[in-house]
Amino acid sequence: MKSAVKLDLESVIDSRRVSRFQIVIMALCALVAMMDGFDTQSIAFVAPEIVTAWRIAPSTFGPVFGSGLLGGLIGAILFGGAGDRFGRKPTLLLAVLLFSIGSLITPFAASIPSLIAVRFITGLGLGGALPSFISLTSEYAPKRARSTLVGLMFCGFPLGAVIGGFASAKLIPSFGWASVFVAGGTLPMLVMPFFMAFVPESVRFLGLKRDHAAISNVLRRMDCAGVWNGEFPKPAHQTRAPIASLFKEGRAVGTVLLWITLFLSLLMTYFLVNWIPVVARQSGLGIESAVRAVSMLNLGAFAGCMVLGWLADRFGTARVIGCAFTLGAVAIGLIGHAGGVLVLLYTSTFVAGFLSIGAQMCTVALCANFYDTFLRATGLGWSMGISRIGAIAGPVLGGMLLGAGVAPPTLFIVAGVISLGAAITVFMIGHYVLRARASLADLPSKGISNDELHRPVGY
């Protein structure tokens, strides 16, 4: 006989096993993340070929890298706010459509200024998609496994870059650099109908909108319609300026430290992704070897995200991620000493990706836990936006250093120092935020309410 006990909406999701329907939602979000990763890094895969074909200096490509990332910064902030206002699903679909169109028109660019323009448009969609697919996954995941599931979903981003790298290594010699963008724009168009058909709006977002019929339909697809008590979550303390809420109710320290960490880690990531192929070509390696070096970096990030996330659950988030950033700095420094030795280049890029970029991805996954549902897409959007400032600075910094005649070993030592900076801020998060969160664990015994206990003062 079924239990007559009814649960509130949050408890329905948090207390039950993850259903097949939820897995499908997260898998499709991971597929979008893969396409985002492919298109975000596609410009790095083809940059050496465009530099050769157009007979331009490698350092002049810095603004091209930066324009796409600037678009990503603006897109993340705009689409993040729109996701909290209009819903995760429609804003995600619009973002995917935008970066798909941007990718398809990229081959028509015939100069650096036109390439800068189309990469900016593509970047708007690429950055705009991130807050929505992270929020969707987070809000269909039970709290006990949210960080793990978001991390697994976000592994689609470097996996897409890995697949894109190996595919580009085959496409470019056979069909030219334009074929990479045709593939990157066509695949999202093919996936969008499946996403529209099988992925509903976030059930937690629907709870804030008090849409009883839509929630009942989603819970029925999750095989738990009879468990919900029909009550909606209590209205959150929203303000007319959502950005101000990121710094209220104990969020300020965590928000600032998250922004600094993501800024530094994305600066390091895009520094490596965009300049490893160029430096590899200057060392005498072919285009396939140069692209595969970036693929090894992303393959390491994919593995690192899963392993570091598992270790963080057992040995402490700040301790594991901070140590990974620290050790990753050593591996990054070794990249500059690889020269034309493929084994050393592939090994050092894989380890650097596993440690430093894997740590960066774990930080992104944890960011989803930091904000309430009413603020999650905005919080993620601003975090991704701030991180994109670092992503813009990374390629530009690399171009400036190359233009100044800095040797590859010094170039990658600089990137290693940036990884150390990210380690410091993560350790600060552990000291100033996680310790405060741990102290709240004892509050229920002191009469503190459940709502107050879960107020996001840290993670």
Side-chain angles (χ1 to χ4, degrees):
M1 183 174 179
K2 293 185 178 181
S3 172
V5 176
K6 300 285 187 177
L7 303 173
D8 59 57
L9 186 58
E10 293 288 323
S11 297
V12 170
I13 301 171
D14 291 339
S15 65
R16 296 177 64 85
R17 295 178 60 184
V18 179
S19 67
R20 185 179 303 174
F21 177 64
Q22 289 164 283
I23 293 173
V24 169
I25 293 172
M26 295 173 195
L28 285 170
C29 285
L31 187 57
V32 174
M34 287 177 61
M35 294 182 295
D36 199 302
F38 181 108
D39 282 348
T40 295
Q41 297 191 12
S42 59
I43 191 65
F45 300 146
V46 305
E49 290 302 297
I50 297 178
V51 165
T52 301
W54 292 0
R55 298 179 181 179
I56 57 178
S59 59
T60 63
F61 224 77
V64 177
F65 295 143
S67 66
L69 298 169
L70 176 62
L73 183 161
I74 297 172
I77 293 173
L78 293 180
F79 280 81
D84 279 333
R85 183 174 181 181
F86 302 110
R88 289 44 164 140
K89 183 177 178 178
T91 53
L92 177 57
L93 290 172
L94 179 59
V96 172
L97 179 63
L98 186 59
F99 78 68
S100 179
I101 292 173
S103 184
L104 288 172
I105 65 176
T106 299
F108 295 98
S111 64
I112 288 294
S114 61
L115 195 56
I116 288 173
V118 295
R119 290 310 298 173
F120 176 81
I121 294 171
T122 307
L124 287 173
L126 293 170
L130 286 169
S132 292
F133 67 66
I134 295 173
S135 293
L136 267 171
T137 301
S138 175
E139 289 162 8
Y140 273 104
K143 186 174 183 178
R144 65 183 181 279
R146 189 172 298 156
S147 293
T148 300
L149 292 171
V150 171
L152 286 173
M153 179 279 301
F154 201 63
C155 283
F157 190 93
L159 182 59
V162 170
I163 294 172
F166 284 105
S168 298
K170 296 297 182 183
L171 287 171
I172 293 172
S174 300
F175 304 103
W177 63 265
S179 62
V180 175
F181 296 105
V182 173
T186 302
L187 290 174
M189 291 289 193
L190 297 176
V191 170
M192 283 180 65
F194 294 95
F195 197 93
M196 293 174 66
F198 294 106
V199 177
E201 180 55 82
S202 161
V203 70
R204 297 178 195 261
F205 178 83
L206 292 172
L208 293 180
K209 296 300 180 181
R210 309 180 77 80
D211 191 334
H212 193 286
I215 293 172
S216 296
N217 183 53
V218 172
L219 294 181
R220 187 161 47 251
R221 297 171 74 180
M222 291 171 57
D223 297 323
C224 55
V227 180
W228 182 37
N229 62 11
E231 298 179 3
F232 297 103
K234 293 181 180 179
H237 300 291
Q238 302 184 50
T239 66
R240 294 183 64 84
I243 179 62
S245 298
L246 302 179
F247 300 92
K248 294 182 177 180
E249 298 181 357
R251 300 184 187 95
V253 173
T255 292
V256 171
L257 289 175
L258 270 173
W259 285 6
I260 296 173
T261 302
L262 289 168
F263 170 86
L264 292 173
S265 62
L266 263 290
L267 191 158
M268 169 203 67
T269 297
Y270 283 88
F271 186 106
L272 297 176
V273 165
N274 287 289
W275 292 112
I276 284 176
V278 175
V279 172
R281 287 299 299 274
Q282 289 181 337
S283 299
L285 298 176
I287 182 62
E288 290 191 27
S289 297
V291 170
R292 283 172 182 160
V294 177
S295 298
M296 292 302 292
L297 185 80
N298 287 297
L299 186 62
F302 173 76
C305 179
M306 293 189 291
V307 174
L308 294 175
W310 181 82
L311 291 173
D313 285 338
R314 286 153 180 78
F315 300 105
T317 304
R319 184 181 297 111
V320 170
I321 296 178
C323 288
F325 274 128
T326 302
L327 295 174
V330 178
I332 292 170
L334 290 175
I335 295 174
H337 292 82
V341 182
L342 282 178
V343 173
L344 181 56
L345 178 63
Y346 290 166
T347 302
S348 58
T349 52
F350 178 86
V351 175
F354 184 98
L355 293 168
S356 288
I357 302 182
Q360 178 260 320
M361 292 175 60
C362 288
T363 305
V364 170
L366 289 170
C367 191
N369 275 338
F370 187 66
Y371 299 105
D372 288 326
T373 301
F374 84 94
L375 197 59
R376 183 166 289 121
T378 298
L380 283 166
W382 275 90
S383 296
M384 298 297 101
I386 295 297
S387 72
R388 283 307 188 271
I389 299 177
I392 294 167
V396 173
L397 176 61
M400 292 172 59
L401 293 174
L402 279 176
V406 173
T410 304
L411 196 72
F412 288 98
I413 287 174
V414 171
V417 171
I418 296 169
S419 184
L420 285 176
I424 292 171
T425 57
V426 169
F427 286 131
M428 291 177 66
I429 289 174
H431 181 78
Y432 293 108
V433 179
L434 294 182
R435 186 173 295 181
R437 180 68 172 235
S439 68
L440 290 179
D442 296 328
L443 293 183
S445 62
K446 300 177 182 179
I448 304 299
S449 70
N450 188 62
D451 288 341
E452 291 174 307
L453 174 61
H454 291 99
R455 185 174 293 164
V457 298
Y459 58 85

